[in-house]
Amino acid sequence: MCGRIAVDETGMAMTRGDDETPEVLDQVARGLGEAREFEPDVAEQPAGLPGRRGDREASPGAAPIDDAGVLDCGTSRRGGFTHVLWLDRGATPEGLAHSLELSPLVARVEWEGTELLHVEAPGASHGDLLAEARRLARS
């Protein structure tokens, strides 16, 4: 069922009836008025927005990878774990999991794949655990 579109005197498109007309798009276009009123606003982007590049200023690059190979710390979604460490396995010593288990902050650890190390560290902040993991990775 196709309705007929008409444009009223205010420029609003309205549907009427059930008949098809090839002039529908023409009616809608006339109702919209001048095209310049409906052009997207393409304003210059202000300088300094992260991730943006422009003629005026280049955006800052990606954050440097820590030399310890411990990239970040977040909240674990694995049951029984409080934190997850994202690791660069190429730069992280194999013994990091064992070293973390010996830390007073950590109750236990468990690998997920080769880059995620789930950690149970009740009461430890993300920043504290990240700093501890980086310290242990360097030693």
Side-chain angles (χ1 to χ4, degrees):
M1 178 170 165
C2 290
R4 184 171 175 213
I5 297 177
V7 179
D8 67 9
E9 60 277 350
T10 65
M12 298 296 294
M14 302 177 352
T15 59
R16 304 188 248 162
D18 293 337
D19 54 317
E20 292 184 46
T21 62
E23 299 84 25
V24 170
L25 293 178
D26 288 334
Q27 291 174 355
V28 172
R30 279 194 305 275
L32 292 175
E34 295 293 320
R36 64 180 163 74
E37 294 176 25
F38 299 97
E39 291 176 4
D41 182 17
V42 186
E44 290 276 331
Q45 297 175 5
L49 290 176
R52 307 279 177 125
R53 294 182 184 259
D55 295 340
R56 290 177 272 155
E57 183 177 318
S59 65
I65 294 176
D66 184 78
D67 64 347
V70 183
L71 304 175
D72 204 359
C73 180
T75 302
S76 176
R77 294 182 188 174
R78 185 171 281 191
F81 292 91
T82 56
H83 299 73
V84 63
L85 293 168
W86 179 30
L87 307 169
D88 176 4
R89 290 291 288 159
T92 304
E94 292 298 317
L96 178 61
H98 179 68
S99 297
L100 271 171
E101 282 183 311
L102 299 176
S103 168
L105 293 175
V106 176
R108 68 185 172 122
V109 299
E110 185 177 292
W111 283 105
E112 178 183 340
T114 60
E115 296 180 339
L116 299 177
L117 184 62
H118 294 272
V119 180
E120 181 183 355
S125 72
H126 289 95
D128 289 343
L129 185 61
L130 183 60
E132 177 75 355
R134 287 179 172 167
R135 184 187 67 77
L136 292 171
R138 286 188 190 102
S139 58

